[in-house]
Amino acid sequence: MGESFRHQPVLLEAVRGLVPAGARLLADVTLGGAGHALALLEDHPQAELFGSDRDPAAVAAAAERLAPFRARILLKHLRFSQVGGHLPAGGVDFLLADLGLSSPQVDEAGRGFSFTRDGPLDMRMDPTGGAPSALELVNRAKPERLREILQTYGEERFAARIARAIAEQRQRAPIATTGALAAIVSAAVPRKFHRHLHPATRTFQALRMEVNDELGELEALLAMAPDLLAPGGRLAIISFHSLEDRLVKTRFRTWADPCVCPPRMPACVCGRTPLGRILTRKPLTASAAEQARNPRSRSAKLRAFERTAAP
């Protein structure tokens, strides 16, 4: 399992550099292939690590890869929204979330994430959870809802055309595989827009985000993070989508400057105090060398926040 779920962690050196000195409790809530977690454990022999992932295959692979550190780790199969019940309030020194897909999730056709490898239309990060799959979404959602999903999460300019094409095809026969869906999308997108990006890229991204409620789960993590961090503790989030990055940036700014007084007020009277400070005024991105080694790092953006007030 560990070998089959290998994943190259993005922005690894930047993540390592953000961990505060003397950290005692580390949390990686997107274990994936355990690349980040392994480096954190090696760098901080005095620390314990809590690791979680909503993909049970990732948790199993991480347990195998991190076996030499078993005395210092606790791994759980959890969504972001469930993490708060497993971590001590005000006790986490470093909390990491890498919002990208792991390479094995994309590369394994049976997971249904890939538009280049034909497989069942699934896209669930946790296929054991009983949540509706992309198969159900694509074949049952109203065309108006599909268009909204593609526009919102995929920023797809041809959302209406794609939604109509999907609705017309499923009247003839259910759309059951990633290959079938990719072909429908490709036919709906004008040929001149096929040059630089696979025409199904944005559609698959949007459907995956909807199936897994990715923005909702990120909102839940951000809502609880300040209460989980110890004074001086740091939160690091790696995003790959503009909506995710915007959400993180906005929340960090609110934490750093929560005042809601009108600009004309000579002094703050609302009583809201900053929760900490932003460590990354601009997001950290992958170097040219890293992008050459790992093309999937090109869209990665890392933002970090330090909790300076006691919860």
Side-chain angles (χ1 to χ4, degrees):
M1 174 68 76
E3 290 300 320
S4 64
F5 210 95
R6 286 304 172 108
H7 173 69
Q8 190 170 356
V10 300
L11 297 169
L12 180 58
E13 293 309 310
V15 168
R16 297 169 91 161
L18 285 167
V19 182
R24 305 294 298 183
L25 178 57
L26 313 171
D28 181 351
V29 296
T30 47
L31 276 170
H36 288 115
L38 178 62
L40 295 177
L41 286 164
E42 291 174 340
D43 289 350
H44 302 275
Q46 79 288 352
E48 295 179 324
L49 181 134
F50 172 88
S52 62
D53 201 291
R54 68 188 300 178
D55 187 337
V59 178
E64 183 177 328
R65 191 173 187 191
L66 301 178
F69 304 93
R70 61 171 58 89
R72 295 198 284 131
I73 63 174
L74 175 63
L75 307 184
K76 293 284 186 179
H77 172 213
L78 301 169
R79 301 190 308 275
F80 288 163
S81 54
Q82 300 170 314
V83 165
H86 297 264
L87 286 168
V92 180
D93 297 302
F94 184 69
L95 196 160
L96 171 67
D98 175 352
L99 307 181
L101 285 179
S102 292
S103 297
Q105 292 172 323
V106 179
D107 296 339
E108 186 180 328
R111 298 299 301 270
F113 289 107
S114 176
F115 45 76
T116 60
R117 293 175 171 82
D118 194 24
L121 193 55
D122 194 317
M123 298 192 191
R124 290 173 296 175
M125 292 183 183
D126 181 5
T128 68
S133 67
L135 175 71
E136 295 165 271
L137 177 63
V138 166
N139 286 285
R140 295 180 183 176
K142 293 181 179 180
E144 297 78 10
R145 178 58 183 152
L146 287 174
R147 175 182 55 76
E148 180 185 17
I149 291 169
L150 300 187
Q151 287 177 333
T152 302
Y153 297 141
E155 299 175 317
E156 173 57 70
R157 65 187 298 178
F158 301 107
R161 294 177 60 157
I162 294 169
R164 274 197 309 271
I166 289 172
E168 290 169 2
Q169 175 58 39
R170 70 191 188 188
Q171 287 182 336
R172 294 188 284 270
I175 303 167
T177 68
T178 56
L181 178 60
I184 294 167
V185 176
S186 296
V189 175
R191 292 292 302 176
K192 67 179 180 179
F193 295 98
H194 289 213
R195 297 171 189 163
H196 305 298
L197 191 69
H198 191 291
T201 300
R202 298 182 187 278
T203 293
F204 272 62
Q205 170 187 279
L207 294 174
R208 188 203 79 220
M209 292 181 73
E210 172 69 13
V211 166
N212 295 289
D213 187 24
E214 293 180 30
L215 287 185
E217 287 294 318
L218 177 56
E219 285 269 21
L221 178 65
L222 290 169
M224 70 180 73
D227 291 333
L228 295 177
L229 293 176
R234 293 175 173 181
L235 170 65
I237 298 182
I238 303 172
S239 63
F240 292 79
H241 188 284
S242 60
L243 290 177
E244 295 170 339
D245 181 59
R246 194 177 308 138
L247 186 59
V248 174
K249 178 174 66 174
T250 301
R251 192 60 62 91
F252 282 12
R253 285 179 175 174
T254 301
W255 293 345
D257 184 13
C259 178
V260 293
C261 295
R264 65 180 179 274
M265 294 290 291
C268 174
V269 295
C270 70
R272 300 190 180 190
T273 58
L275 299 180
R277 64 190 182 101
I278 298 170
L279 300 177
T280 49
R281 288 297 170 183
K282 292 184 178 180
L284 304 180
T285 57
S287 66
E290 180 174 0
Q291 291 182 38
R293 290 194 310 270
N294 181 12
R296 288 174 180 165
S297 69
R298 289 172 184 164
S299 57
K301 292 183 177 180
L302 169 59
R303 295 185 186 271
F305 184 87
E306 181 180 76
R307 187 76 155 97
T308 55

